[in-house]
Amino acid sequence: MSRSVLWAPFVPGATQHDLPGDTIPALFWQGMGQRGDRVFLREKQLGIWQSWTWAQVGAAVQDIGGGLVALGMQPHDVVGILANTRLEWLLADLAIQSAGGTANGIYPTDSPSQVHYLCEDSRTSILFVEDDEQLDKVLDVRDRLPALRWIVVFDDRGLERFDDPQVITLKALRERGQSHGATLQARARAVQPEDLAILVYTSGTTGKPKGAMHTQAGLVYGVRAAATNLPQSDSDERICFLPLCHIAERMIGAYSAVLTGATLNFVESPETFAENVREVAPHILFAVPRVWEKFYSGIRIAVAEATPLQQLAYSWAVGVGMRVAKCVLAGQAVPALLKLQFYAADALVLGNIKRMLGIHRARAVLSGAAPISPDLIQWYLALGVPMLEGWGMTETGAYGTLTQPNAMLPGSIGSAAYGVEMRIDPQTGEILTRGPHLFRGYLNLPEKTAEVIDAEGWFHTGDVGTVDERGRYRITDRMKDIIITAGGKNITPSEIENQLKFSPYITDAVVVGDRRPYLTALVMIDQENCERYAQENDIPFSSFASLARAPQIHALIQQDFERVNREFARVEQVKQFRILDTQLTAEDEELTPTMKLKRHFVQQKYADLIESMYRAP
C-alpha cells in the first residue's frame, strides 16, 4: 500500500537538518565534517555502482580546488564546465566555488560557436571539458578566447599521445593541488554571501543567451527554503540525470543533497536512465514532463500487449486508484471500503507498475520546467504517488511555487513557496515575483536586467496566469505565446499541446494559429512507440522519415487529434497537422536542452510546411 495517497502529508516548514553555512562552500565543508564516512555520491561504471563517501568527495574537491589555485585562478574568476551530467561535474563545481570562483556550466550539445560566445561573454579563464569530443570544440575557437588560460579534461581516453601546453588532465590537476589544501580552505572560508556563485545562461530562443548571475546568498536561501516545502533526510536516495547546466538539477538535485545529506546517484548514461531509476528506487524524483510522459506511454504500450485478463486487472486497479484520487483532490476522506479496495489494487497491480517504473519508494515525484497534462498527474496519483508540479525559472533559481500533497489541483503549479512573494499584474495578467532567491541580473546586460526587474524589485516572469482563493497559481501561457486568431479569439496553445502529449505516440507538438483563420499543429512522434505500432500492424518503413510519412501513422495521430479536439470549443480545435519527418535530438536547434520544441524557431524553420496547412482545402 502506498502511504502517499492515504497519507500523512508533508508538513511545510519541517526540516530534518541543521547544517550551518551561508554559502554553498560553507554548506559542503560543514556537511563533510559532520558526515565523513557516510555515502554521499554514487556513480555506475561498467555496470557496477561505485560509492563515494563525504570524506572521499571532500578530498577530491580539495585537490581539484587546490589545482585551480596552482594554475593561477584568482577569486571571482569564471571557470567553465563543458560536460554531460556526471560525478566529476559536481566535484568541479564545488571546487570552483570553494576556490572563490564563479562556475559557468555549458551544455555539451552546444556548437563550437556557442562555446566561444559563452566563454567570451563570461571571460572564462579555465575550462573543464568532458572528453576529446568537447576538447575539439574548444580548440576550434581557442585562438579567439584570449582570457582562456587552461583546459582541464575529465576523461583523457584517446588523448594519451596528445600534448598541448594549455591542456591538463583532471588527474594531473589533482596532483598539482595536493600541496595547496590550506590555501583552498582559506579561500573557501573567505567566500561571502554576496559573491557571484554561478552563471546560468538562458537558452537563447529569442536572441543570444543571457548569463543569469546567482549569488551565494540567493542559492543558499533557495535550497534551504525548498527543504522546508519538501522535507528530506540523509537516508533519502536521489537520482541525478538532468543537465547540471540547467538550474533545476543544480538546485533540486545537487545542492539539495549537499544540504540534506541525501545520497545522490549519477546515472550511467541517458539511455540507461529508466534502468538506473529502477535500481535506485529514489525517495523523491524530479524530472521534466517528457520523462513522465515516456513512463506513462511505456505502461500503456505494455498493457496493450498484455493478456485480456491482465488488461482487465489493470483497468480495475487504475479505476480504483482514480476513485481514490478523486477523493484526495476534492479534500474528502476516502471511504473505508474504497481503502480496502485500494490496498488490494496496490498489492495485485499498482505496486507492480510502480516497481516497473522505479517509483515504489517515492514519497512524491516532482515535475517542472514545462507544463504537464492534468490527466497525467491524476494517473500517477491513482498509482498512489502524488505528482507535485512546481514552477521556477533560471532567473528565480528554479524556486517559486510547489504543490503540496494536501492541496493538489492538477493544472496548478501550487502556491508561492516559503519566502516567495507572488502576485498577478492586474493590467497584463503577468505573474510577478520577488524574494531573496532572485538572480542579481544578466551579466553585461544592465538594460536587459532593467526590463525584467522593476524599481520595487518585482521580477516580470513573462508567464500569464491566474490565482485562486487558496493562493494556488495556474499558468495559462507565456505572454509571447498566446495565440489571437483572425477572428479575435485568445487561445493558450499549451493546454492543447499538453493534451496531445498525453498520447504515447506524440512526443511534442506546437500549435500554430496567430492571426490565422484556424489552428494547425506540427507534431513530433515518439519513435520507439510508433515503430512498435508499425511492426505490430505490418506497416512498412525503412527510416524515421518513411515511418513519419506512412499513411497509417498519420491516421494513428489523427485519432489523437480527434480525441483532444472533443475537449475544446470549435474555435480551439486543431483543423490540420503535419508530422515532422526528421528525428530530433538535443543537438538539433529545434530543441531546448530539456528537449522541448522551440516554438518560434520551429515556426520559422518550418514556415513552408505550416503554410501548406492553410493552402490545403
Side-chain angles (χ1 to χ4, degrees):
M1 161 67 211
S2 171
R3 57 178 174 168
S4 303
V5 167
L6 313 174
W7 57 66
F10 297 133
V11 181
T15 59
Q16 300 179 22
H17 44 77
D18 56 356
L19 200 65
D22 51 11
T23 68
I24 294 297
L27 288 181
F28 170 69
W29 291 107
Q30 286 285 347
M32 197 213 60
Q34 293 185 18
R35 306 167 181 146
D37 292 332
R38 292 184 63 92
V39 173
F40 177 28
L41 307 179
R42 295 173 75 229
E43 61 177 342
K44 197 172 187 185
Q45 293 184 337
L46 302 177
I48 300 175
W49 286 100
Q50 309 286 346
S51 297
W52 289 56
T53 66
W54 277 84
Q56 289 172 321
V57 174
V61 170
Q62 180 158 298
D63 288 348
I64 296 169
L68 294 174
V69 172
L71 295 184
M73 174 194 154
Q74 298 299 312
H76 312 300
D77 278 358
V78 175
V79 179
I81 309 173
L82 173 58
N84 285 287
T85 295
R86 55 188 291 163
L87 187 143
E88 291 87 352
W89 208 110
L90 181 56
L91 298 180
D93 183 21
L94 294 171
I96 293 163
Q97 295 187 55
S98 292
T102 300
N104 175 30
I106 303 176
Y107 287 101
T109 53
D110 282 354
S111 66
S113 61
Q114 291 169 315
V115 171
H116 170 261
Y117 171 77
L118 297 176
C119 290
E120 181 183 50
D121 187 63
S122 61
R123 293 192 58 78
T124 293
S125 61
I126 300 173
L127 182 61
F128 289 90
V129 300
E130 182 170 11
D131 51 23
D132 56 348
E133 178 186 354
Q134 303 301 337
L135 176 62
D136 284 341
K137 294 180 184 178
V138 183
L139 296 180
D140 282 348
V141 299
R142 174 174 56 176
D143 292 344
R144 292 181 284 141
L145 294 173
L148 183 63
R149 301 192 305 272
W150 288 94
I151 304 169
V152 184
V153 183
F154 288 154
D155 184 350
D156 61 348
R157 284 176 294 182
L159 297 172
E160 291 83 4
R161 298 184 180 180
F162 179 79
D163 185 24
D164 187 298
Q166 276 190 301
V167 179
I168 185 174
T169 66
L170 182 65
K171 179 181 178 181
L173 179 73
R174 289 192 61 176
E175 291 172 352
R176 290 197 186 200
Q178 290 175 359
S179 59
H180 292 80
T183 303
L184 188 279
Q185 289 298 326
R187 289 263 193 105
R189 290 191 295 271
V191 175
Q192 298 299 307
E194 63 272 16
D195 287 346
L196 186 59
I198 64 174
L199 288 171
V200 182
Y201 276 83
T202 62
S203 59
T205 57
T206 57
K208 287 187 175 181
K210 301 184 292 290
M213 300 184 290
H214 285 278
T215 64
Q216 293 286 347
L219 296 182
V220 171
Y221 182 88
V223 76
R224 283 192 184 281
T228 69
N229 288 275
L230 191 64
Q232 300 170 61
S233 75
D234 57 10
S235 62
D236 283 350
E237 295 280 352
R238 301 289 306 276
I239 283 278
C240 189
F241 74 102
L242 293 171
L244 279 166
C245 305
H246 197 279
I247 189 67
E249 187 66 274
R250 203 87 153 270
M251 293 292 287
I252 300 172
Y255 298 158
S256 173
V258 168
L259 175 68
T260 65
T263 300
L264 196 61
N265 297 269
F266 288 81
V267 300
E268 192 167 15
S269 71
E271 291 73 28
T272 64
F273 164 70
E275 175 190 342
N276 295 161
V277 171
R278 286 193 293 270
E279 292 170 342
V280 173
H283 294 89
I284 294 175
L285 178 59
F286 168 74
V288 295
R290 175 167 291 193
V291 170
W292 302 123
E293 292 158 1
K294 192 73 173 175
F295 277 8
Y296 167 76
S297 67
I299 297 298
R300 277 274 305 270
I301 297 297
V303 170
E305 296 174 347
T307 66
L309 180 61
Q310 290 171 326
Q311 292 175 352
L312 186 64
Y314 171 84
S315 179
W316 167 77
V318 171
V320 170
M322 285 293 185
R323 300 208 307 273
V324 171
K326 185 177 180 180
C327 292
V328 170
L329 294 175
Q332 301 171 350
V334 179
L337 180 58
L338 184 55
K339 283 185 182 181
L340 291 175
Q341 290 177 323
F342 185 83
Y343 291 147
D346 190 65
L348 296 172
V349 179
L350 302 181
N352 292 330
I353 294 174
K354 287 181 286 189
R355 279 186 287 274
M356 286 175 63
L357 300 178
I359 58 174
H360 51 286
R361 293 200 301 178
R363 297 195 299 276
V365 294
L366 312 181
S367 181
I372 191 169
S373 167
D375 291 342
L376 198 58
I377 293 174
Q378 293 184 61
W379 182 80
Y380 280 94
L381 185 57
L383 297 185
V385 182
M387 173 174 281
L388 309 182
E389 194 170 3
W391 170 89
M393 300 176 65
T394 296
E395 293 85 348
T396 69
Y399 187 61
T401 69
L402 180 66
T403 301
Q404 287 297 323
N406 56 354
M408 294 182 67
L409 178 65
S412 162
I413 56 172
S415 55
Y418 177 83
V420 175
E421 292 183 79
M422 292 182 71
R423 67 183 180 91
I424 304 290
D425 186 301
Q427 277 74 46
T428 64
E430 183 180 14
I431 296 176
L432 311 181
T433 184
R434 67 181 177 184
H437 60 297
L438 285 185
F439 76 137
R440 180 188 288 173
Y442 298 118
L443 180 69
N444 304 324
L445 296 171
E447 70 286 354
K448 293 292 184 182
T449 301
E451 290 177 7
V452 297
I453 300 181
D454 63 26
E456 296 180 343
W458 288 101
F459 173 65
H460 291 244
T461 67
D463 284 328
V464 177
T466 59
V467 60
D468 68 12
E469 68 282 354
R470 296 180 62 180
R472 296 176 297 190
Y473 284 81
R474 182 190 298 270
I475 293 177
T476 54
D477 223 316
R478 294 289 291 169
M479 291 184 69
K480 61 186 179 183
D481 291 341
I482 290 178
I483 291 174
I484 303 178
T485 66
K489 173 67 176 178
N490 281 29
I491 294 174
T492 55
S494 62
E495 293 183 3
I496 304 169
E497 291 159 358
N498 287 339
Q499 291 302 100
L500 288 169
K501 290 188 289 184
F502 195 56
S503 163
Y505 303 108
I506 296 176
T507 296
D508 210 344
V510 170
V511 172
V512 179
D514 197 43
R515 298 185 295 278
R516 304 274 195 171
Y518 52 85
L519 300 183
T520 59
L522 296 175
V523 173
M524 186 162 65
I525 60 173
D526 185 288
Q527 180 188 9
E528 181 181 351
N529 291 341
C530 285
E531 282 184 353
R532 182 180 298 168
Y533 178 86
Q535 291 164 354
E536 292 173 351
N537 292 274
D538 297 322
I539 301 170
F541 68 95
S542 58
S543 64
F544 181 84
S546 65
L547 176 70
R549 294 170 187 158
Q552 299 93 329
I553 296 299
H554 187 278
L556 178 68
I557 301 303
Q558 178 69 48
Q559 293 175 13
D560 284 314
F561 273 90
E562 292 172 357
R563 169 184 58 82
V564 171
N565 278 340
R566 287 194 291 269
E567 301 178 22
F568 293 91
R570 183 177 296 274
V571 71
E572 299 172 314
Q573 293 178 358
V574 178
K575 304 302 182 185
Q576 293 205 44
F577 67 91
R578 295 288 187 268
I579 298 173
L580 300 181
D581 61 8
T582 303
Q583 185 180 3
L584 300 176
T585 69
E587 297 182 2
D588 291 293
E589 292 181 296
E590 290 94 324
L591 295 178
T592 68
T594 51
M595 300 298 289
K596 295 178 291 185
L597 281 171
K598 298 177 183 177
R599 182 182 305 277
H600 297 288
F601 184 89
V602 165
Q603 290 186 32
Q604 291 173 3
K605 182 168 181 177
Y606 298 97
D608 291 342
L609 193 60
I610 291 171
E611 288 301 325
S612 73
M613 291 186 279
Y614 292 97
R615 290 194 299 267

